Coordinates of all heavy atoms in Angstrom, one line a residue:
M39 N 87.2 78.8 124.6 CA 86.5 79.7 125.4 C 87.2 79.8 126.8 O 88.0 78.9 127.1 CB 85.0 79.2 125.7 CG 84.2 79.2 124.4 SD 83.2 80.6 124.2 CE 84.0 81.4 122.9
W40 N 86.9 80.8 127.5 CA 87.6 81.1 128.7 C 86.5 81.0 129.8 O 85.3 81.1 129.6 CB 88.2 82.5 128.7 CG 87.2 83.6 128.5 CD1 86.6 84.3 129.5 CD2 86.6 84.0 127.3 NE1 85.7 85.2 128.9 CE2 85.7 85.0 127.6 CE3 86.8 83.7 125.9 CZ2 85.0 85.7 126.6 CZ3 86.1 84.3 125.0 CH2 85.2 85.3 125.3
P41 N 86.9 80.8 131.1 CA 86.0 80.7 132.2 C 85.2 82.1 132.2 O 85.8 83.1 132.1 CB 86.8 80.6 133.4 CG 88.1 80.0 132.9 CD 88.3 80.5 131.5
G42 N 83.9 82.0 132.3 CA 83.1 83.1 132.4 C 82.6 83.7 131.0 O 82.0 84.7 130.9
A43 N 83.0 83.0 129.9 CA 82.7 83.5 128.6 C 81.2 83.6 128.3 O 80.7 84.6 127.8 CB 83.3 82.6 127.5
V44 N 80.4 82.6 128.8 CA 79.0 82.6 128.6 C 78.4 83.8 129.4 O 77.5 84.5 129.0 CB 78.3 81.3 129.0 CG1 76.8 81.4 129.0 CG2 78.8 80.2 128.0
A45 N 78.8 83.9 130.7 CA 78.3 85.0 131.5 C 78.6 86.4 130.9 O 77.8 87.3 130.9 CB 78.9 84.9 132.9
D46 N 79.8 86.5 130.3 CA 80.2 87.8 129.7 C 79.3 88.0 128.5 O 78.8 89.1 128.3 CB 81.7 87.7 129.3 CG 82.1 89.0 128.6 OD1 81.9 90.1 129.2 OD2 82.5 88.9 127.4
A47 N 79.1 87.0 127.7 CA 78.2 87.2 126.5 C 76.8 87.6 126.9 O 76.2 88.5 126.3 CB 78.2 85.9 125.6
L48 N 76.3 86.9 127.9 CA 74.9 87.2 128.4 C 74.8 88.6 128.9 O 73.9 89.3 128.7 CB 74.5 86.2 129.4 CG 74.3 84.7 128.8 CD1 74.0 83.8 130.0 CD2 73.2 84.7 127.7
A49 N 75.9 89.0 129.6 CA 75.9 90.4 130.2 C 75.9 91.4 129.1 O 75.3 92.5 129.3 CB 77.2 90.5 131.1
R50 N 76.6 91.2 128.0 CA 76.6 92.1 126.9 C 75.2 92.3 126.3 O 74.8 93.4 126.0 CB 77.6 91.7 125.8 CG 79.0 92.0 126.2 CD 79.9 91.8 125.0 NE 80.6 90.5 125.1 CZ 81.3 89.9 124.2 NH1 81.4 90.5 123.0 NH2 81.8 88.7 124.4
F51 N 74.5 91.2 126.2 CA 73.1 91.3 125.7 C 72.2 92.0 126.7 O 71.4 92.9 126.4 CB 72.5 90.0 125.3 CG 72.9 89.5 124.0 CD1 73.9 88.6 123.7 CD2 72.3 90.1 122.9 CE1 74.2 88.2 122.5 CE2 72.6 89.7 121.6 CZ 73.6 88.8 121.4
E52 N 72.4 91.7 128.0 CA 71.6 92.3 129.0 C 71.8 93.9 129.0 O 70.9 94.6 129.1 CB 72.0 91.8 130.4 CG 71.2 92.4 131.5 CD 71.5 91.8 132.9 OE1 72.5 91.1 133.0 OE2 70.9 92.2 133.9
W53 N 73.1 94.3 128.9 CA 73.4 95.7 128.8 C 72.8 96.3 127.6 O 72.2 97.4 127.7 CB 74.9 95.8 128.8 CG 75.4 97.2 128.7 CD1 75.6 98.1 129.7 CD2 75.7 98.0 127.5 NE1 76.0 99.3 129.3 CE2 76.1 99.3 127.9 CE3 75.7 97.7 126.1 CZ2 76.4 100.3 127.0 CZ3 76.0 98.7 125.2 CH2 76.4 100.0 125.7
A54 N 72.9 95.7 126.4 CA 72.4 96.2 125.2 C 70.8 96.3 125.2 O 70.3 97.3 124.8 CB 72.8 95.4 124.0
F55 N 70.2 95.3 125.8 CA 68.7 95.3 125.8 C 68.1 96.3 126.8 O 67.0 96.6 126.7 CB 68.2 93.9 126.0 CG 68.5 93.0 124.8 CD1 68.4 91.6 125.0 CD2 68.7 93.4 123.6 CE1 68.6 90.7 124.0 CE2 69.0 92.6 122.5 CZ 68.9 91.2 122.7
R56 N 68.9 96.7 127.8 CA 68.5 97.6 128.8 C 68.4 99.0 128.2 O 67.8 99.9 128.8 CB 69.4 97.7 130.0 CG 68.9 96.8 131.1 CD 69.8 97.1 132.3 NE 71.1 96.7 131.9 CZ 72.2 96.8 132.7 NH1 72.1 97.2 133.9 NH2 73.4 96.4 132.3
R57 N 69.1 99.3 127.1 CA 69.2 100.6 126.5 C 67.8 101.0 126.1 O 67.1 100.1 125.5 CB 70.2 100.7 125.4 CG 71.5 100.2 125.7 CD 72.6 100.9 126.4 NE 72.5 101.9 127.4 CZ 72.7 101.7 128.7 NH1 73.0 100.6 129.2 NH2 72.7 102.7 129.5
P58 N 67.4 102.2 126.3 CA 66.0 102.6 125.8 C 65.9 102.7 124.3 O 66.9 102.8 123.6 CB 65.8 104.0 126.5 CG 67.2 104.5 126.7 CD 68.1 103.3 126.9
G59 N 64.7 102.6 123.8 CA 64.4 102.8 122.4 C 64.0 101.5 121.8 O 64.3 100.4 122.3
R60 N 63.4 101.6 120.6 CA 62.9 100.5 119.9 C 64.0 99.7 119.3 O 64.0 98.5 119.2 CB 61.9 101.0 118.8 CG 61.6 100.0 117.7 CD 60.8 98.8 118.2 NE 60.3 98.0 117.1 CZ 61.0 97.0 116.5 NH1 62.2 96.6 116.9 NH2 60.4 96.3 115.5
Y61 N 65.0 100.4 118.7 CA 66.1 99.8 118.0 C 67.4 99.9 118.9 O 67.6 100.8 119.6 CB 66.4 100.5 116.7 CG 65.2 100.3 115.8 CD1 64.3 101.4 115.5 CD2 64.9 99.1 115.2 CE1 63.2 101.2 114.7 CE2 63.8 98.9 114.4 CZ 63.0 99.9 114.1 OH 61.9 99.8 113.3
L62 N 68.3 98.9 118.7 CA 69.6 99.0 119.3 C 70.4 100.1 118.6 O 70.4 100.2 117.4 CB 70.3 97.6 119.1 CG 69.7 96.5 119.9 CD1 70.6 95.2 119.6 CD2 69.6 96.7 121.4
N63 N 71.1 100.8 119.4 CA 71.9 102.0 118.9 C 73.3 101.4 118.5 O 74.0 100.9 119.4 CB 72.0 103.1 120.0 CG 72.7 104.3 119.5 OD1 73.5 104.3 118.6 ND2 72.2 105.4 120.0
A64 N 73.7 101.6 117.3 CA 75.0 101.1 116.8 C 76.1 101.8 117.4 O 77.2 101.3 117.5 CB 75.0 101.1 115.3
S65 N 75.9 103.1 117.9 CA 77.0 103.8 118.4 C 77.3 103.5 119.9 O 78.3 103.9 120.4 CB 76.7 105.3 118.3 OG 75.6 105.7 119.1
R66 N 76.4 102.7 120.5 CA 76.6 102.3 121.9 C 77.0 100.9 121.9 O 76.1 100.0 121.6 CB 75.4 102.6 122.7 CG 75.1 104.1 122.9 CD 73.9 104.2 123.8 NE 73.7 105.6 124.0 CZ 73.4 106.2 125.1 NH1 73.4 105.4 126.2 NH2 73.2 107.4 125.2
V67 N 78.1 100.5 122.3 CA 78.6 99.1 122.4 C 79.1 98.9 123.8 O 79.4 99.8 124.6 CB 79.6 98.8 121.4 CG1 79.1 98.9 120.0 CG2 80.9 99.6 121.5
W68 N 79.1 97.6 124.2 CA 79.6 97.2 125.5 C 81.0 97.8 125.7 O 81.3 98.5 126.7 CB 79.7 95.7 125.6 CG 80.2 95.1 126.8 CD1 81.5 94.6 126.9 CD2 79.6 94.8 128.0 NE1 81.7 94.1 128.1 CE2 80.5 94.2 128.9 CE3 78.3 95.1 128.5 CZ2 80.2 93.8 130.2 CZ3 78.0 94.7 129.8 CH2 78.9 94.1 130.6
Q69 N 81.9 97.6 124.8 CA 83.3 98.2 124.7 C 83.6 98.1 123.2 O 83.1 97.2 122.5 CB 84.3 97.4 125.5 CG 84.2 97.4 127.0 CD 85.2 96.5 127.6 OE1 86.0 95.8 127.0 NE2 85.2 96.5 128.9
P70 N 84.4 99.0 122.8 CA 84.8 98.9 121.3 C 85.3 97.6 121.0 O 86.2 97.0 121.7 CB 85.9 100.0 121.2 CG 85.6 101.0 122.3 CD 85.0 100.2 123.4
G71 N 84.8 97.0 119.9 CA 85.2 95.7 119.5 C 84.5 94.5 120.2 O 84.7 93.4 119.9
L72 N 83.6 94.9 121.1 CA 82.8 93.8 121.8 C 81.3 94.0 121.6 O 80.6 93.9 122.5 CB 83.2 93.8 123.3 CG 84.6 93.5 123.7 CD1 84.8 93.6 125.2 CD2 85.0 92.1 123.2
E73 N 80.9 94.2 120.4 CA 79.5 94.3 120.0 C 78.8 93.1 120.4 O 79.4 92.0 120.5 CB 79.4 94.7 118.6 CG 79.8 96.1 118.2 CD 81.3 96.2 117.9 OE1 82.0 95.2 118.0 OE2 81.8 97.3 117.6
V74 N 77.5 93.1 120.5 CA 76.7 92.0 120.8 C 76.8 90.9 119.7 O 76.6 89.7 120.1 CB 75.2 92.3 121.1 CG1 75.1 93.1 122.4 CG2 74.6 93.0 120.0
E75 N 77.1 91.2 118.5 CA 77.2 90.2 117.5 C 78.4 89.3 117.8 O 78.3 88.1 117.6 CB 77.5 90.9 116.1 CG 76.3 91.6 115.6 CD 76.1 93.1 116.1 OE1 76.9 93.5 116.9 OE2 75.2 93.7 115.6
Y76 N 79.4 89.8 118.4 CA 80.5 88.9 118.9 C 80.1 88.0 120.0 O 80.5 86.9 120.1 CB 81.8 89.7 119.3 CG 82.5 90.4 118.1 CD1 82.4 91.8 117.9 CD2 83.1 89.6 117.1 CE1 83.1 92.4 116.9 CE2 83.8 90.2 116.1 CZ 83.7 91.6 115.9 OH 84.3 92.2 114.9
A77 N 79.3 88.6 120.9 CA 78.7 87.8 122.0 C 77.9 86.7 121.5 O 77.9 85.6 122.0 CB 77.9 88.7 123.0
R78 N 77.1 87.0 120.4 CA 76.2 85.9 119.8 C 77.1 84.8 119.2 O 76.8 83.7 119.3 CB 75.3 86.6 118.8 CG 74.3 85.6 118.2 CD 73.5 84.9 119.3 NE 72.5 83.9 118.7 CZ 72.9 82.7 118.4 NH1 74.1 82.3 118.5 NH2 71.9 81.9 117.8
D79 N 78.2 85.2 118.6 CA 79.2 84.2 118.0 C 79.6 83.3 119.2 O 79.7 82.1 119.0 CB 80.4 84.9 117.4 CG 80.1 85.6 116.1 OD1 79.1 85.3 115.4 OD2 80.9 86.4 115.7
D80 N 80.0 83.9 120.3 CA 80.5 83.1 121.4 C 79.4 82.1 121.9 O 79.7 80.9 122.2 CB 80.9 84.0 122.6 CG 82.1 84.8 122.3 OD1 82.8 84.5 121.3 OD2 82.4 85.8 123.0
L81 N 78.2 82.6 122.0 CA 77.1 81.7 122.5 C 76.9 80.6 121.5 O 76.6 79.4 121.8 CB 75.8 82.5 122.6 CG 75.8 83.5 123.8 CD1 74.5 84.3 123.8 CD2 76.0 82.8 125.1
E82 N 77.0 80.9 120.2 CA 76.8 79.8 119.2 C 77.9 78.7 119.3 O 77.6 77.6 119.2 CB 76.9 80.5 117.8 CG 76.6 79.5 116.6 CD 75.1 79.2 116.5 OE1 74.3 79.7 117.2 OE2 74.8 78.3 115.7
E83 N 79.1 79.2 119.5 CA 80.2 78.2 119.7 C 80.0 77.4 120.9 O 80.2 76.1 120.9 CB 81.5 79.0 119.8 CG 82.7 78.2 119.9 CD 83.1 77.4 118.6 OE1 82.6 77.9 117.5 OE2 83.8 76.4 118.7
V84 N 79.6 78.0 122.0 CA 79.4 77.2 123.3 C 78.3 76.2 123.1 O 78.4 75.0 123.5 CB 79.1 78.2 124.4 CG1 78.6 77.4 125.7 CG2 80.3 79.0 124.8
V85 N 77.2 76.6 122.6 CA 76.0 75.7 122.4 C 76.4 74.4 121.6 O 76.0 73.3 122.0 CB 74.8 76.4 121.7 CG1 73.8 75.4 121.3 CG2 74.2 77.4 122.7
L86 N 77.3 74.6 120.6 CA 77.7 73.5 119.8 C 78.5 72.4 120.6 O 78.5 71.3 120.2 CB 78.5 73.9 118.6 CG 77.8 74.8 117.6 CD1 78.7 75.3 116.5 CD2 76.7 74.0 116.9
H87 N 79.1 72.8 121.7 CA 80.0 71.9 122.4 C 79.4 71.5 123.8 O 80.1 70.8 124.5 CB 81.3 72.6 122.6 CG 82.1 72.8 121.3 ND1 81.9 73.9 120.5 CD2 82.8 71.9 120.6 CE1 82.6 73.7 119.4 NE2 83.2 72.6 119.4
L88 N 78.2 71.8 124.1 CA 77.6 71.4 125.4 C 77.0 70.1 125.3 O 76.5 69.7 124.2 CB 76.6 72.5 125.8 CG 77.1 73.8 126.3 CD1 75.9 74.8 126.5 CD2 77.9 73.7 127.5
P89 N 76.8 69.4 126.4 CA 76.0 68.2 126.4 C 74.6 68.5 126.1 O 74.1 69.7 126.3 CB 76.1 67.7 127.9 CG 77.2 68.4 128.5 CD 77.4 69.7 127.7
R90 N 73.8 67.6 125.7 CA 72.4 67.8 125.2 C 71.5 68.6 126.1 O 70.9 69.5 125.7 CB 71.7 66.5 124.8 CG 72.2 66.0 123.5 CD 71.3 64.8 123.1 NE 71.8 64.4 121.8 CZ 71.4 63.2 121.3 NH1 70.6 62.5 121.9 NH2 71.9 62.9 120.1
G91 N 71.5 68.2 127.4 CA 70.7 68.9 128.4 C 71.0 70.4 128.5 O 70.2 71.3 128.5
A92 N 72.3 70.7 128.6 CA 72.8 72.0 128.7 C 72.6 72.8 127.4 O 72.3 74.0 127.4 CB 74.3 72.1 129.0
Q93 N 72.7 72.1 126.2 CA 72.4 72.7 124.9 C 70.9 73.2 124.9 O 70.6 74.3 124.4 CB 72.6 71.7 123.8 CG 73.9 71.6 123.3 CD 74.0 70.6 122.1 OE1 73.1 69.8 121.8 NE2 75.1 70.6 121.4
R94 N 70.0 72.3 125.4 CA 68.6 72.7 125.4 C 68.4 73.9 126.3 O 67.7 74.9 125.9 CB 67.7 71.6 125.8 CG 67.4 70.6 124.7 CD 66.4 69.6 125.2 NE 66.7 68.9 126.4 CZ 67.4 67.7 126.5 NH1 67.8 67.2 125.4 NH2 67.6 67.2 127.6
D95 N 69.0 73.9 127.5 CA 68.8 75.0 128.4 C 69.3 76.3 127.9 O 68.6 77.3 127.9 CB 69.5 74.7 129.8 CG 68.8 73.6 130.5 OD1 67.6 73.2 130.2 OD2 69.4 73.0 131.4
L96 N 70.6 76.3 127.4 CA 71.2 77.5 126.9 C 70.5 77.9 125.6 O 70.3 79.1 125.3 CB 72.7 77.4 126.7 CG 73.4 78.6 126.2 CD1 73.2 79.8 127.2 CD2 74.9 78.4 126.1
G97 N 70.1 76.9 124.8 CA 69.4 77.1 123.5 C 68.1 77.9 123.7 O 67.8 78.8 122.9
R98 N 67.4 77.6 124.7 CA 66.1 78.3 125.0 C 66.4 79.8 125.3 O 65.7 80.7 124.8 CB 65.3 77.7 126.2 CG 64.6 76.4 125.8 CD 63.6 76.0 126.8 NE 64.3 75.5 128.0 CZ 64.7 74.2 128.2 NH1 64.4 73.3 127.3 NH2 65.3 73.8 129.3
L99 N 67.4 80.0 126.1 CA 67.8 81.4 126.4 C 68.3 82.1 125.1 O 68.0 83.3 124.9 CB 68.9 81.4 127.5 CG 69.4 82.8 128.0 CD1 68.2 83.6 128.5 CD2 70.4 82.6 129.1
V100 N 69.1 81.5 124.4 CA 69.6 82.1 123.1 C 68.5 82.4 122.2 O 68.5 83.4 121.5 CB 70.7 81.2 122.5 CG1 71.0 81.6 121.0 CG2 71.9 81.1 123.3
A101 N 67.5 81.5 122.1 CA 66.3 81.8 121.2 C 65.6 83.0 121.7 O 65.2 83.8 120.8 CB 65.3 80.6 121.3
R102 N 65.5 83.3 123.0 CA 64.8 84.5 123.4 C 65.7 85.7 123.1 O 65.2 86.8 122.7 CB 64.6 84.4 125.0 CG 63.5 83.5 125.3 CD 62.9 83.6 126.7 NE 63.8 84.0 127.7 CZ 64.2 83.1 128.7 NH1 63.9 81.9 128.6 NH2 65.0 83.6 129.6
I103 N 67.0 85.6 123.2 CA 68.0 86.7 122.8 C 67.8 86.9 121.3 O 67.7 88.1 120.9 CB 69.4 86.3 123.2 CG1 69.6 86.4 124.7 CG2 70.4 87.2 122.5 CD1 70.9 85.8 125.2
D104 N 67.8 85.9 120.5 CA 67.6 86.1 119.1 C 66.3 86.8 118.7 O 66.3 87.7 117.9 CB 67.6 84.7 118.4 CG 69.0 84.1 118.3 OD1 70.0 84.8 118.7 OD2 69.1 82.9 117.9
D105 N 65.3 86.4 119.4 CA 64.0 87.1 119.1 C 64.1 88.6 119.4 O 63.6 89.4 118.6 CB 62.8 86.5 119.9 CG 62.5 85.1 119.5 OD1 62.8 84.7 118.4 OD2 61.8 84.4 120.2
E106 N 64.6 88.9 120.6 CA 64.8 90.3 120.9 C 65.7 91.1 120.0 O 65.5 92.2 119.6 CB 65.2 90.4 122.4 CG 65.3 91.9 122.9 CD 64.0 92.6 123.0 OE1 62.9 92.0 122.8 OE2 64.0 93.8 123.3
F107 N 66.8 90.4 119.7 CA 67.8 91.1 118.8 C 67.2 91.3 117.4 O 67.3 92.4 116.8 CB 69.1 90.2 118.6 CG 70.1 90.8 117.8 CD1 70.9 91.8 118.4 CD2 70.4 90.4 116.5 CE1 71.9 92.4 117.6 CE2 71.4 91.0 115.8 CZ 72.1 92.0 116.3
E108 N 66.4 90.3 116.9 CA 65.8 90.5 115.6 C 64.7 91.6 115.7 O 64.6 92.4 114.8 CB 65.1 89.2 115.2 CG 64.6 89.3 113.7 CD 64.2 87.9 113.2 OE1 64.0 87.0 114.0 OE2 64.0 87.8 112.0
R109 N 64.0 91.7 116.8 CA 63.0 92.7 117.0 C 63.6 94.1 117.0 O 63.0 95.1 116.5 CB 62.2 92.4 118.3 CG 61.0 93.4 118.5 CD 60.3 93.1 119.8 NE 61.0 93.6 120.9 CZ 61.1 94.9 121.3 NH1 60.5 95.8 120.5 NH2 61.7 95.3 122.3
R110 N 64.8 94.2 117.5 CA 65.4 95.5 117.7 C 66.4 95.9 116.7 O 67.2 96.9 116.9 CB 66.0 95.6 119.2 CG 64.9 95.5 120.2 CD 65.4 95.7 121.6 NE 65.9 97.0 121.8 CZ 66.3 97.4 123.0 NH1 66.3 96.6 124.0 NH2 66.7 98.7 123.1
T111 N 66.5 95.1 115.6 CA 67.4 95.5 114.5 C 66.6 95.4 113.2 O 65.5 95.0 113.2 CB 68.6 94.5 114.5 OG1 68.1 93.1 114.3 CG2 69.5 94.6 115.7
L112 N 67.3 95.8 112.1 CA 66.6 95.8 110.8 C 67.4 94.9 109.9 O 68.7 94.8 110.0 CB 66.6 97.2 110.3 CG 65.9 98.2 111.1 CD1 66.2 99.6 110.6 CD2 64.4 97.9 111.1
P113 N 66.8 94.3 108.8 CA 67.5 93.6 107.8 C 68.5 94.5 107.1 O 68.1 95.7 106.8 CB 66.4 93.1 106.9 CG 65.1 93.3 107.5 CD 65.4 94.4 108.6
N114 N 69.6 94.0 106.8 CA 70.6 94.8 106.0 C 70.4 94.6 104.5 O 70.6 93.5 104.0 CB 72.0 94.4 106.4 CG 73.1 95.3 105.8 OD1 72.8 96.1 104.9 ND2 74.3 95.2 106.2
P115 N 70.0 95.7 103.8 CA 69.7 95.5 102.4 C 70.9 95.5 101.6 O 70.9 95.2 100.4 CB 68.8 96.8 102.1 CG 69.3 97.8 103.1 CD 69.7 97.0 104.3
G116 N 72.1 95.7 102.2 CA 73.3 95.7 101.4 C 73.8 94.4 101.0 O 73.3 93.3 101.3
P117 N 75.0 94.4 100.3 CA 75.5 93.1 99.8 C 76.1 92.3 100.9 O 76.4 92.8 102.0 CB 76.6 93.6 98.8 CG 77.0 95.0 99.3 CD 75.7 95.5 99.9
V118 N 76.3 91.0 100.7 CA 76.9 90.1 101.6 C 78.4 90.5 101.8 O 79.1 90.8 100.8 CB 76.8 88.7 101.2 CG1 77.6 87.7 102.1 CG2 75.4 88.3 101.1
N119 N 78.9 90.6 103.0 CA 80.3 90.9 103.2 C 80.9 89.8 104.2 O 80.2 88.8 104.5 CB 80.5 92.3 103.8 CG 79.8 92.5 105.1 OD1 79.8 91.6 106.0 ND2 79.2 93.6 105.3
A120 N 82.1 90.0 104.6 CA 82.8 89.0 105.4 C 82.0 88.7 106.7 O 82.0 87.5 107.2 CB 84.2 89.5 105.8
F121 N 81.4 89.7 107.3 CA 80.6 89.4 108.5 C 79.3 88.6 108.3 O 79.0 87.8 109.1 CB 80.3 90.7 109.2 CG 81.5 91.4 109.8 CD1 81.9 92.6 109.3 CD2 82.2 90.8 110.8 CE1 83.1 93.2 109.8 CE2 83.3 91.4 111.4 CZ 83.8 92.7 110.9
T122 N 78.6 88.9 107.2 CA 77.4 88.2 107.0 C 77.5 86.8 106.6 O 76.5 86.1 106.5 CB 76.5 89.0 106.0 OG1 77.2 89.1 104.7 CG2 76.1 90.4 106.5
V123 N 78.7 86.3 106.3 CA 78.9 84.9 106.0 C 78.7 84.1 107.2 O 78.4 82.9 107.1 CB 80.4 84.7 105.4 CG1 80.7 83.3 105.2 CG2 80.5 85.5 104.1
G124 N 78.9 84.7 108.4 CA 78.7 84.0 109.6 C 77.3 83.8 110.0 O 76.4 83.6 109.1
G125 N 76.9 84.0 111.2 CA 75.6 83.9 111.7 C 74.7 85.0 111.1 O 75.1 86.1 110.7
W126 N 73.4 84.7 111.1 CA 72.4 85.6 110.6 C 72.4 87.0 111.3 O 72.1 88.0 110.7 CB 71.0 85.0 110.7 CG 70.5 84.8 112.1 CD1 70.6 83.7 112.9 CD2 69.9 85.8 113.0 NE1 70.2 83.9 114.1 CE2 69.7 85.2 114.2 CE3 69.5 87.1 112.8 CZ2 69.1 85.8 115.3 CZ3 68.9 87.8 113.9 CH2 68.7 87.1 115.1
W127 N 72.9 87.0 112.6 CA 72.9 88.2 113.3 C 73.8 89.3 112.8 O 73.7 90.4 113.0 CB 73.2 87.9 114.8 CG 74.4 87.0 115.0 CD1 75.7 87.4 115.2 CD2 74.3 85.6 115.1 NE1 76.5 86.3 115.3 CE2 75.7 85.1 115.2 CE3 73.3 84.7 114.9 CZ2 76.0 83.8 115.3 CZ3 73.7 83.3 115.0 CH2 75.0 82.9 115.2
W128 N 74.8 88.8 112.0 CA 75.7 89.8 111.3 C 75.1 90.5 110.1 O 75.6 91.5 109.6 CB 77.0 89.1 110.9 CG 77.9 88.8 112.0 CD1 78.1 87.6 112.6 CD2 78.7 89.7 112.8 NE1 79.0 87.7 113.7 CE2 79.4 89.0 113.8 CE3 78.9 91.1 112.7 CZ2 80.2 89.7 114.7 CZ3 79.7 91.7 113.6 CH2 80.4 91.0 114.6
S129 N 73.9 89.9 109.7 CA 73.3 90.6 108.5 C 72.2 91.5 109.0 O 71.4 92.0 108.2 CB 72.7 89.5 107.6 OG 71.6 88.8 108.3
R130 N 72.2 91.9 110.2 CA 71.2 92.8 110.8 C 71.9 94.2 111.0 O 73.1 94.2 111.3 CB 70.6 92.3 112.1 CG 70.0 90.9 112.0 CD 68.8 90.9 111.2 NE 67.7 91.6 111.9 CZ 66.5 91.8 111.4 NH1 66.2 91.2 110.3 NH2 65.6 92.5 112.0
I131 N 71.2 95.3 110.9 CA 71.8 96.6 111.2 C 71.1 97.2 112.4 O 69.9 96.9 112.7 CB 71.7 97.5 110.0 CG1 70.3 97.7 109.4 CG2 72.7 97.0 108.9 CD1 70.2 98.7 108.3
R132 N 71.8 98.1 113.0 CA 71.3 98.8 114.2 C 71.2 100.3 113.8 O 71.9 100.8 112.9 CB 72.2 98.7 115.4 CG 72.2 97.2 115.9 CD 73.1 97.1 117.1 NE 74.4 96.7 116.8 CZ 75.5 97.0 117.5 NH1 75.3 97.5 118.7 NH2 76.7 96.6 117.2
E133 N 70.3 101.0 114.5 CA 70.1 102.4 114.3 C 71.4 103.2 114.7 O 72.0 102.9 115.7 CB 68.9 102.8 115.1 CG 68.5 104.3 114.8 CD 67.2 104.5 115.6 OE1 67.2 104.4 116.8 OE2 66.2 104.8 114.9
H134 N 71.7 104.3 114.0 CA 72.8 105.1 114.4 C 72.3 106.4 115.1 O 71.2 106.8 114.9 CB 73.6 105.6 113.2 CG 74.5 104.5 112.7 ND1 75.7 104.1 113.2 CD2 74.3 103.6 111.7 CE1 76.2 103.1 112.6 NE2 75.4 102.8 111.6

């Protein structure tokens, strides 16, 4: 990870969650190639390497992000692919 990686990941979710509408719009991303799913990957990696107290603190924030992400996306009824092998957030779809 690089300095500011957590702040960047959190900023991507803040940006995405500020967008109006019930569902996250798949056509609007932070920058091409920097979808919030990648930000969630970064947060997962960081949480695994933090000391326990920091894990709990960031983990509570990540749990709230997960709840909102799950609320604003839909289950993907399609087959498992390379992305869905990772975190559950890759198996969710956004509205187009």
Side-chain angles (χ1 to χ4, degrees):
M39 294 267 105
W40 61 96
V44 171
D46 180 57
L48 295 174
R50 283 190 259 167
F51 276 104
E52 181 181 6
W53 180 86
F55 291 162
R56 263 189 299 180
R57 310 282 26 109
R60 163 66 170 92
Y61 297 106
L62 293 179
N63 186 329
S65 64
R66 291 182 180 228
V67 295
W68 176 262
Q69 290 178 356
L72 295 179
E73 290 85 356
V74 292
E75 292 85 355
Y76 290 111
R78 183 58 181 82
D79 286 344
D80 292 344
L81 292 174
E82 185 74 8
E83 184 70 23
V84 168
V85 166
L86 294 174
H87 293 92
L88 289 174
R90 281 192 180 165
Q93 275 183 346
R94 280 191 303 272
D95 292 342
L96 185 56
R98 282 191 291 271
L99 181 57
V100 170
R102 290 197 323 257
I103 287 169
D104 287 350
D105 289 346
E106 182 67 5
F107 185 76
E108 188 171 18
R109 186 182 77 75
R110 294 185 68 177
T111 58
L112 301 167
N114 187 347
V118 174
N119 60 40
F121 290 113
T122 59
V123 174
W126 65 267
W127 47 92
W128 285 106
S129 67
R130 306 290 294 180
I131 56 175
R132 294 185 268 156
E133 186 176 60
H134 286 280

